[in-house]
Amino acid sequence: MNNLKKLGLSALAGSLVAVSAQAGEIAVSGSANVTYVTGPTGNTSKSLGTDKDVTFSGSGELDNGWTFAVGTLMTDGFDVSSSYTSLTMGSLGTITFGTHTGGASYMYDEETPQVYEQTSDAQQNSANIVGNALDSNGLMYALPAMEMGGATVNMQVEYTPHASDVGANDGGATTYTDGRGSAMGAGITVAYDALKVGVYAAEIENTTPANATAGVLGDAQSDSFEGVWYATYSMGPVSIGYTESYLENGRDDVNAAETANAVKTVRTANGIFESDTMSIAFNVNDNLSISYTETDDTYDAQSDMATNIVDVTQSTEALQVAYSMGGMSIKAYNMETNNPGYDANAATASKTEIALGLAF
């Protein structure tokens, strides 16, 4: 019996040695930015700002050829913004665990060519929200890239046990949020020559029913569904792109806060949000680039019977420019938004930002 135990322990030790890690590497990189911002609430809204990001990343290889990578992004005050651990298993694909890592959804939202910021930097945009609730202490599995008829295909699936978009680091548990359960998402991209197309969808479990109070239209609550697709094409120095997104919170009951003349918050308001964006970018030379973007983001309360309930479209136009000189860059944009916050009674918002960036 003792000999059998010794034999078993020897076999276990051998298996552990077979996947032991080789000496890895760790690197530190970062950036510093100085910004001048006006708006979006008028000429009285002006500010100078600075921010610094430092990223610690490491990697290594196991005896069986698998590789691993870890990373932590820290912002001003040394607050942890995101962290991840990934294991690449050769032809078996890659598994990534983490919080606020930019999971599968971040590969698809607002994926049109822009030389600086997405239009959601000026106003909340439902396309930017699609799939972000899964980015809270979840996991993502990515298949190895596949070649099919000259095209390169990439696929990812992701899962989180609690889709709150409230992450936790240092081995902590995700903060519980009533009403949200588990969630799953999946995405696929196909790249052929200068054309790239991507599709992503996710479903989030709603764990509490919708309230039906007196005088309020109500209906049973279903799970949330959200998705996005995009297409981009490059022609020498010119790149064009188009994307559409859909986000349904699983409820169609209406309350006073969701009338046409009131601000709505994506993922909190009931109804459906549908967004479409088109953009064009032009590389003037190796250092200078410009881009133009238009986004229409429509809120549909899904109730034509209630008073003051109508569809409201938030429209944003953005003109951007970027100039780089080695590790230094100067970038700027101006964004004009009609019906900001999906409020049909809101004044047009204008935001301008100029940024000096240094990378190290």
Side-chain angles (χ1 to χ4, degrees), residues 130-151:
V130 169
N132 73 346
L134 283 75
D135 199 23
S136 51
N137 293 71
L139 64 88
M140 180 181 73
Y141 172 68
L143 277 70
M146 298 174 286
E147 299 295 329
M148 302 176 62

Side-chain angles (χ1 to χ4, degrees), residues 181-233:
S182 62
M184 295 190 68
I188 180 172
T189 59
V190 180
Y192 183 82
D193 196 17
L195 175 66
K196 186 176 182 180
V197 178
V199 181
Y200 170 86
E203 186 174 72
I204 303 172
E205 179 186 16
N206 284 322
T207 58
T208 57
N211 293 323
T213 57
V216 175
L217 299 176
D219 198 357
Q221 181 166 318
S222 60
D223 291 342
S224 300
F225 176 82
E226 46 209 61
V228 62
W229 76 270
Y230 74 87
T232 60
Y233 188 79

Side-chain angles (χ1 to χ4, degrees), residues 25-353:
E25 298 179 348
I26 189 167
V28 181
S29 61
S31 64
N33 297 285
V34 179
T35 59
Y36 174 71
V37 179
T38 65
T41 57
N43 292 332
T44 58
S45 177
K46 300 178 181 180
S47 65
L48 282 170
T50 62
D51 73 84
K52 296 167 287 297
D53 297 334
V54 178
T55 300
F56 298 87
S57 56
S59 61
E61 183 176 351
L62 307 182
D63 283 350
N64 61 355
W66 292 3
T67 59
F68 65 89
V70 297
T72 298
L73 171 62
M74 306 189 75
T75 58
D76 287 354
F78 287 96
D79 295 323
V80 176
S81 175
S82 64
S83 61
Y84 72 90
T85 300
S86 67
L87 179 64
T88 299
M89 305 170 292
S91 60
L92 297 179
T94 301
I95 299 178
T96 302
F97 304 85
T99 176
H100 292 165
T101 60
S105 65
Y106 285 68
M107 304 176 187
Y108 298 87
D109 70 319
E110 296 188 278
E111 286 297 308
T112 58
Q114 297 163 87
V115 301
Y116 186 20
E117 294 284 8
Q118 300 166 329
T119 53
S120 59
D121 192 66
Q123 296 289 333
Q124 65 167 343
N125 186 326
S126 62
N128 185 258
I129 304 298
V130 169
N132 73 346
L134 283 75
D135 199 23
S136 51
N137 293 71
L139 64 88
M140 180 181 73
Y141 172 68
L143 277 70
M146 298 174 286
E147 299 295 329
M148 302 176 62
T152 301
V153 181
N154 288 278
M155 299 178 63
Q156 311 86 23
V157 293
E158 58 183 349
Y159 168 80
T160 184
H162 186 66
S164 64
D165 194 32
V166 180
N169 293 289
D170 197 23
T174 302
T175 302
Y176 176 75
T177 301
D178 186 32
R180 292 295 181 184
S182 62
M184 295 190 68
I188 180 172
T189 59
V190 180
Y192 183 82
D193 196 17
L195 175 66
K196 186 176 182 180
V197 178
V199 181
Y200 170 86
E203 186 174 72
I204 303 172
E205 179 186 16
N206 284 322
T207 58
T208 57
N211 293 323
T213 57
V216 175
L217 299 176
D219 198 357
Q221 181 166 318
S222 60
D223 291 342
S224 300
F225 176 82
E226 46 209 61
V228 62
W229 76 270
Y230 74 87
T232 60
Y233 188 79
S234 298
M235 302 166 287
V238 179
S239 298
I240 59 174
Y242 179 79
T243 181
E244 291 184 349
S245 70
Y246 177 93
L247 191 153
E248 180 180 358
N249 287 318
R251 297 171 294 182
D252 63 0
D253 58 313
V254 177
N255 56 51
E258 291 160 14
T259 61
N261 299 331
V263 173
K264 293 87 175 172
T265 302
V266 182
R267 204 178 290 290
T268 299
N270 304 322
I272 295 174
F273 292 85
E274 295 179 279
S275 175
D276 63 84
T277 296
M278 63 78 59
S279 69
I280 181 170
F282 176 59
N283 295 324
V284 179
N285 52 46
D286 291 341
N287 303 106
L288 179 64
S289 301
I290 58 175
S291 67
Y292 174 77
T293 306
E294 287 186 358
T295 297
D296 288 331
D297 196 2
T298 300
Y299 169 73
D300 183 355
Q302 290 293 287
S303 178
D304 298 326
M305 298 175 61
T307 305
N308 295 327
I309 303 300
V310 296
D311 295 354
V312 181
T313 298
Q314 173 185 277
S315 300
T316 302
E317 296 184 4
L319 181 62
Q320 309 189 50
V321 60
Y323 185 81
S324 61
M325 296 171 286
M328 185 179 77
S329 63
I330 300 174
K331 299 179 180 181
Y333 71 66
N334 174 259
M335 299 189 188
E336 300 276 348
T337 303
N338 294 319
N339 300 330
Y342 315 95
D343 181 355
N345 199 40
T348 298
S350 177
K351 182 178 180 180
T352 299
E353 179 173 305

